[in-house]
Amino acid sequence: MPFDHQQPPLVFGEALFDCFPDGAEVLGGAPFNVAWHLAGFGLNPVFLSRVGEDALGERIDAAMREQGMTTLGLQRDPEHATGTVQVSLVGGEPSYEIVPDRAYDHIDAAALPPLPQQTLLYHGSLALRHSVSADALRMLRGRLSPSVFLDVNLRDPWWQKERLIELLEGATWVKLNADELALLAPEGDDVEARAQRLRERYELEAVFATLGAAGAFAVDADGTVSRVAPAGAIEVVDAVGAGDGFASVLILGLIRSWPVQQTLNRAQAFASAIVGQRGATVRDPGFYTPFLDEWRLG
């Protein structure tokens, strides 16, 4: 059943701070980043997560309010601290040490607010490493009958293939990178053939695959492949959150019913702008203005 394009999108998963070697602390977590950008695009997402009753949790709450995001789905945990990740950068590429047993691992199904039926639900895979949050998502998917955008985001050692297959079986669209595609769909002579196999196996409406500096491509329900590459030289500050920026525009395109090629082009342009920033979230609302104007979202 098609989702209701008029309902606000739901975003489920982790909110955390990326902690850089120079001492900088930047708000992050793939679902948080996606919700942040969707708010920047004017979509009023409902972010469903859990933070600690601590200073970092207060900063996340305050940042969401500053961005104009509802905190209706942000739970506070008196026992578990807000999530953190130690980020190391080697040649501009990030690696992550993800601290275990944080508040986002304990999203409480009973504390979720009333939510719309048949909307678009985005989630990743990291927050599902713990059974409490995994059960909350399972209940949410069963209760709301949403169209599901699964952003794979594999982070060793925090995933199991069996659990991921269960998520794929309930997904509508999937986004992943070339390494994740090779793990989940090893059959095929190249990445596009693997994406085709993955789409067919799980009866997905589309598979979106990111290829780093080589761009990205999509395989849709009739097998059509659409491709995009970065335009010209890009100044890279760091690559943290580039894929989340890309995913946010894919979701925007699905909600606005843009053609696949146009959606890919716009997602690539936005991701290219994100890599020119430190971290994954941008506090300046003016950052979004050129995109809002060009895409006529104002």
Side-chain angles (χ1 to χ4, degrees):
M1 182 179 296
F3 71 98
D4 186 344
H5 292 240
Q6 302 305 311
Q7 295 287 1
L10 309 179
V11 178
F12 180 100
E14 66 272 12
L16 49 81
F17 277 87
D18 290 320
C19 303
F20 287 82
D22 63 2
E25 295 175 332
V26 180
L27 260 171
F32 183 86
N33 299 338
V34 169
W36 183 273
H37 295 316
L38 292 177
F41 297 138
L43 286 186
N44 302 313
V46 180
F47 180 54
L48 305 169
S49 190
R50 193 171 178 92
V51 297
E53 290 185 350
D54 51 26
L56 292 182
E58 291 291 345
R59 286 171 61 184
I60 290 173
D61 185 290
M64 289 177 64
R65 294 176 190 274
E66 181 184 318
Q67 181 75 343
M69 298 169 66
T70 177
T71 57
L72 182 71
L74 187 67
Q75 301 174 8
R76 303 303 291 267
D77 191 318
E79 299 179 6
H80 300 94
T82 299
T84 54
V85 173
Q86 298 297 323
V87 182
S88 302
L89 298 172
V90 180
E93 286 297 317
S95 62
Y96 309 93
E97 180 189 345
I98 304 170
V99 180
D101 201 28
R102 297 279 128 162
Y104 66 77
D105 292 306
H106 299 272
I107 300 171
D108 182 0
L112 292 170
L115 296 166
Q117 295 278 339
Q118 295 170 359
T119 186
L120 185 150
L121 168 65
Y122 166 101
H123 69 81
S125 48
L126 176 59
L128 309 179
R129 64 184 180 173
H130 195 287
S131 61
V132 175
S133 288
D135 287 345
L137 179 69
R138 192 176 289 112
M139 184 279 295
L140 197 64
R141 284 174 53 156
R143 191 179 79 192
L144 300 182
S145 302
S147 294
V148 175
F149 187 106
L150 170 59
D151 194 354
V152 173
N153 277 329
L154 299 185
R155 298 285 183 257
D156 289 331
W158 305 116
W159 66 281
Q160 297 82 37
K161 190 168 184 178
E162 296 77 13
R163 175 66 179 131
L164 205 55
I165 288 171
E166 178 187 342
L167 297 174
L168 284 163
E169 288 172 343
T172 312
W173 312 275
V174 170
K175 173 195 155 284
L176 71 182
N177 64 30
D179 291 338
E180 292 159 349
L181 187 56
L183 286 168
L184 298 177
E187 307 93 342
D189 296 332
D190 55 35
V191 288
E192 292 180 4
R194 287 173 175 165
Q196 292 273 22
R197 293 282 183 89
L198 191 73
R199 193 206 64 74
E200 292 167 0
R201 183 182 302 173
Y202 297 104
E203 299 180 344
L204 302 163
E205 289 191 13
V207 172
F208 301 98
T210 57
L211 306 174
F217 70 91
V219 179
D220 65 21
D222 64 6
T224 301
V225 178
S226 305
R227 304 175 183 86
V228 66
I234 298 171
E235 179 186 354
V236 177
V237 174
D238 71 57
V240 177
D244 307 330
F246 195 92
S248 69
V249 181
L250 296 180
I251 292 168
L252 178 63
L254 291 168
I255 289 173
R256 299 295 190 198
S257 300
W258 294 343
V260 173
Q261 187 63 61
Q262 183 181 64
T263 300
L264 281 180
N265 293 344
R266 291 175 171 181
Q268 183 64 59
F270 187 70
S272 296
I274 289 293
V275 300
Q277 308 290 317
R278 163 57 69 90
T281 53
V282 183
R283 302 294 281 264
D284 178 12
F287 176 78
Y288 296 91
T289 302
F291 301 102
L292 295 173
D293 291 345
E294 183 178 347
W295 302 343
R296 299 180 182 176
L297 297 176

